[in-house]
């Protein structure tokens, strides 16, 4: 985690090259002339001198020269927070050494200073940061390298004066200073810059690209919420990691506000990291997510409301909270990946393990338990990005394999679907045949009941009332009517594909039922209009005829009436059928609850005809009314 600078308290010796010059001179004395010996000696690196380092506290932010007295010996790297607690201002560092008489070019490397500074050698300025007063230039993570040569570097006593402007809350001080062969110092400088600047900038660029990629991926696949949280997490890490390369606290006027923002970003990142890990594992824990968010919000408010004098303690507390949260998430993800073989977290587990290790290291550096000034979390974050990239690449390869095998899988699936469909169609056909047979039987039974059954009932009623008055011709006529009705059933059952005029079918029924009712002392009066050209399907015609037969049979059997009026009328797009008698009537509600076969048959036929059936009854008048829309007629 790229926290602010934390120079350790312990001293560190400067590295010194060996006696390479002496060895080169001996070899040159054996093989070269004296001139070549001198040239070789000058070309070799001189032994690095030992610095004598002193520090003194300045008297003001704007002083241009150090105090004359009060100098204290110190060891580099140095943080003045322990020596001068709470001091914000300028501290002068004086490094002196003796340069050999034969002065050659040497390299000077300043690893870092915290936060801004100016450098002079033997009274000659060689470097100055842009702002030496608040808002200070943030030079805490910037190494500096100079090539020193005569007359800037002189034989004998040399003095390097470094003016450091810093804030005690952020561990102000001076890092290691190295003096040696230009090639060696240049190599050390390149290595320092690689770790402190170049890799950090590369990481920020990668974070920006990755956040844009996963944001676009989430925008196209909103149900993949893990990608959205990863994009948000990457943006927050990008803003947080910018602290590694920022050289100014802009847009703030002080470094205190900058540090409050930086720690706030760490807290928000830790919350988004928690939610991302849960979503990536396809888990939801609303209570844990809510607690993490509340802690982060509390931390942000505390940081921005804390006084400048107390910010150091508040920042340290919330930095530990954010860092430990990240380590806890990485540890929990590793445990989940070990326990669940099919967990998607297994592809990220190695990278999260690296993040956990580097996070722990950086927390120890931040708390100065480890003597270092380099943070590795930002660089290890590349591993997590690489893990997400590899995960997406694996899914992409799997998709490509599926596409390559698509034709084969499709043919197999189509064949399987065909076989399943054929079996289903065969079963459905068998069921339809069975249902058709059952329906035919039900219809035949209904037709026998409504037609032939009604005729038989009427004939039996006639025989019971006056059997002695029936002669052979009348009995024969009754049998012929039964035969005609049976013929109608046979013809209608055997042939359903033709269209016949309804009036043609109604005339024989009207004649037979009128004779039957008259023979039983019931006056039957018909009113037929506008049906001469009405054509219906055979099934519709048969249902209508059977409806009239059943209605009139019920009048004959149950009504004890003396008169019945039958109306068959075509009115626009509707066909109206009405049967009204003057019999004893019945309770309609009771008939609905315990309806007999005749009434159930009437209602069933009305449903098949998609017609509206109305039933009204009281003593002296009972009426059945059927209203059928002709638009449904074929």
């Amino acid at each position: 985690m790229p926290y602010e600078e934390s120079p350790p308290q312990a001293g560190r010796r400067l590295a010194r090259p060996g006696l390479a010059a002496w060895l080169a001179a001996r070899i040159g004395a054996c093989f070269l002339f004296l001139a070549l010996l001198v040239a070789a000696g000058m070309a070799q690196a001189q032994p690095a001198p030992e610095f004598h380092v002193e520090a003194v506290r300045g008297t003001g932010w704007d002083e241009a020269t150090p105090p004359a007295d009060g100098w204290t010996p110190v060891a580099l790297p140095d943080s003045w927070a322990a020596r001068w607690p709470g001091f914000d201002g300028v501290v002068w560092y004086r490094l002196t050494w003796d340069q050999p008489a034969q002065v050659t070019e040497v390299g000077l490397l300043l690893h870092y200073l915290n936060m801004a500074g100016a450098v002079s050698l033997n009274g000659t300025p060689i470097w100055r940061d842009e702002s030496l007063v608040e808002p200070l230039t943030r030079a805490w993570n910037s190494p500096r390298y100079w090539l020193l040569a005569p007359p800037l570097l002189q034989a004998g006593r040399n003095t390097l004066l470094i003016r450091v402007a810093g804030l005690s809350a952020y561990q102000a001080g001076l890092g290691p200073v190295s003096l040696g062969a230009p090639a060696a110092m240049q190599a050390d400088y390149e290595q320092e810059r690689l770790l402190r600047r170049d890799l950090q900038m590369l990481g920020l660029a990668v974070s920006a690209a990755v956040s844009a990629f996963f944001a676009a991926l989430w925008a196209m696949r909103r149900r993949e919420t893990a990608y959205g949280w990863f994009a948000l997490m990457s943006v927050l890490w990008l803003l947080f990691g910018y602290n590694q390369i920022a050289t100014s606290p802009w847009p703030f006027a002080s470094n205190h506000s900058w540090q409050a923002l930086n720690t706030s970003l760490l807290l928000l990142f830790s919350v988004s990291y928690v939610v991302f890990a849960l979503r990536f594992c396809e888990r939801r824990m609303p209570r844990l997510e809510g607690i993490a968010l509340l802690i982060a919000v509390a931390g942000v408010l505390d940081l921005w409301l804390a006084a400048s004098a107390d910010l150091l303690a508040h920042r340290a507390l919330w930095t530990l909270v954010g860092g430990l949260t990240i380590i806890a998430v990485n540890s929990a993800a590793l445990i989940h990946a070990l326990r669940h073989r099919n967990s998607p977290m297994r592809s990220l587990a190695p990278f999260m393990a690296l993040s956990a290790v580097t996070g722990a290291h950086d927390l120890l550096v931040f708390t100065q338990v480890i003597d270092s000034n380099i943070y590795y979390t930002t660089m290890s974050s590349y591993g997590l990005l690489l893990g997400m990239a590899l995960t997406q690449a694996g899914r992409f390869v799997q998709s490509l394999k599926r596409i390559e095998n698509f034709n084969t899988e499709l043919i197999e699936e189509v064949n399987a679907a065909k076989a399943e469909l054929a079996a289903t169609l065969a079963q459905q056909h068998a069921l339809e045949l069975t249902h058709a047979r059952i329906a035919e039987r039900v219809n035949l039974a209904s037709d026998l009941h409504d037609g032939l059954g009604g005729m038989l009932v009427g004939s039996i009623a006639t025989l019971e009332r006056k059997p002695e008055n029936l002669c052979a011709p009348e009995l024969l006529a009754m049998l012929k009517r039964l035969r005609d009705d049976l013929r109608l059933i046979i013809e209608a059952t055997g042939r359903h594909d033709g269209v016949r005029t309804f009036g043609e079918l109604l005339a024989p029924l009207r004649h037979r039922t009128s004779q039957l009712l008259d023979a039983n002392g019931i006056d039957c009066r018909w009113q037929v209009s506008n049906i001469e050209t009405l054509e219906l399907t055979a099934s519709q015609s048969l249902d209508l005829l059977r409806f009239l037969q059943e209605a009139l049979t019920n009048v004959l059997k149950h009504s004890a009436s003396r008169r019945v009026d039958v109306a068959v009328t075509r009115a626009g797009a509707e066909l109206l059928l009405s049967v009204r008698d003057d019999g004893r009537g019945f309770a309609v509600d009771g008939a609905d609850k315990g309806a007999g076969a005749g009434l159930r048959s009437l209602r069933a036929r009305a449903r098949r005809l998609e017609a509206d059936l109305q039933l009204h009854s009281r003593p002296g008048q009972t009426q059945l009314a059927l209203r059928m829309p002709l638009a449904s007629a074929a």
Side-chain angles (χ1 to χ4, degrees), residues 48-250:
E50 184 174 353
F51 290 118
H52 177 68
V53 186
E54 298 173 295
V56 64
R57 183 167 55 173
T59 58
W61 284 97
D62 297 323
E63 66 179 357
T65 58
D69 52 9
W71 291 90
T72 302
V74 298
L76 298 182
D78 175 68
S79 173
W80 72 60
R83 185 180 308 105
W84 297 303
F87 175 70
D88 295 339
V90 175
V91 170
W92 296 85
Y93 289 90
R94 184 169 61 193
L95 288 75
T96 58
W97 75 97
D98 292 327
Q99 186 68 24
Q102 293 180 349
V103 179
T104 59
E105 290 184 339
V106 296
L108 176 64
L109 173 62
L110 194 159
H111 292 250
Y112 64 87
L113 57 81
N114 187 8
M115 270 189 203
V119 181
S120 62
L121 177 62
N122 297 323
T124 303
I126 61 175
W127 178 268
R128 184 184 187 280
D129 282 318
E130 182 177 355
S131 177
L132 299 180
V133 296
E134 189 73 319
L136 295 170
T137 298
R138 299 179 55 80
W140 70 275
N141 204 31
S142 300
R144 295 170 176 82
Y145 170 73
W146 298 277
L147 182 62
L148 306 180
L152 187 63
L153 186 67
Q154 59 191 20
R157 192 79 168 176
N158 287 266
T159 301
L160 183 70
L161 190 64
I162 302 176
R163 180 186 189 274
V164 178
L167 304 171
S168 62
Y170 310 120
Q171 301 160 343
L174 179 64
V177 178
S178 302
L179 189 69
M185 293 298 98
Q186 178 72 31
D188 290 346
Y189 169 73
E190 295 295 339
Q191 181 179 0
E192 285 284 312
R193 184 171 180 83
L194 176 67
L195 292 176
R196 295 179 180 275
R197 305 289 296 180
D198 297 343
L199 289 180
Q200 310 296 341
M201 295 184 68
L202 176 62
L204 296 180
V206 172
S207 295
V210 169
S211 60
F213 171 77
F214 281 98
L217 188 61
W218 171 76
M220 293 184 289
R221 294 175 61 86
R222 293 294 183 90
R223 58 189 178 88
E224 301 285 355
T225 56
Y227 296 148
W229 283 104
F230 190 81
L232 175 62
M233 187 179 75
S234 299
V235 171
L236 292 172
W237 187 257
L238 170 67
L239 297 175
F240 175 67
Y242 179 68
N243 181 63
Q244 293 288 88
I245 64 171
T247 58
S248 168
W250 185 90

Side-chain angles (χ1 to χ4, degrees), residues 216-391:
L217 188 61
W218 171 76
M220 293 184 289
R221 294 175 61 86
R222 293 294 183 90
R223 58 189 178 88
E224 301 285 355
T225 56
Y227 296 148
W229 283 104
F230 190 81
L232 175 62
M233 187 179 75
S234 299
V235 171
L236 292 172
W237 187 257
L238 170 67
L239 297 175
F240 175 67
Y242 179 68
N243 181 63
Q244 293 288 88
I245 64 171
T247 58
S248 168
W250 185 90
F252 302 107
S254 69
N255 279 276
H256 294 309
S257 299
W258 177 272
Q259 292 304 323
L261 172 65
N262 194 248
T263 309
S264 299
L265 290 171
L266 175 64
L267 290 172
L268 295 176
F269 168 80
S270 65
V271 174
S272 63
Y273 196 33
V274 170
V275 181
F276 159 72
L278 290 173
R279 296 296 183 275
F280 196 71
C281 293
E282 300 177 353
R283 298 282 300 279
R284 288 181 179 271
M285 301 179 68
R287 182 173 299 179
L288 176 62
E289 296 169 13
I291 292 174
L293 179 60
L294 287 177
I295 293 175
V297 171
V300 171
L301 294 176
D302 180 66
L303 287 167
W304 287 98
L305 296 177
S308 299
D310 301 328
L311 184 60
L312 176 61
H314 291 253
R315 170 176 165 264
L317 170 64
W318 292 113
T319 298
L320 288 175
V321 170
L324 291 175
T325 300
I326 296 171
I327 294 174
V329 171
N330 288 327
S331 302
L334 291 174
I335 295 173
H336 183 274
L338 292 174
R339 289 183 176 179
H340 302 83
R341 287 180 174 270
N342 297 325
S343 171
M345 194 61 74
R346 292 179 71 90
S347 59
L348 295 182
F351 308 101
M352 299 187 85
L354 176 62
S355 178
V357 172
T358 56
H361 168 272
D362 288 359
L363 281 181
L364 294 176
V365 170
F366 177 77
T367 55
Q368 301 186 48
V369 175
I370 294 180
D371 182 14
S372 176
N373 182 252
I374 300 177
Y375 296 92
Y376 295 103
T377 305
T378 303
M379 291 175 282
S380 69
S381 64
Y382 309 154
L384 186 59
L385 300 178
L386 177 61
M388 286 295 293
L390 292 177
T391 300

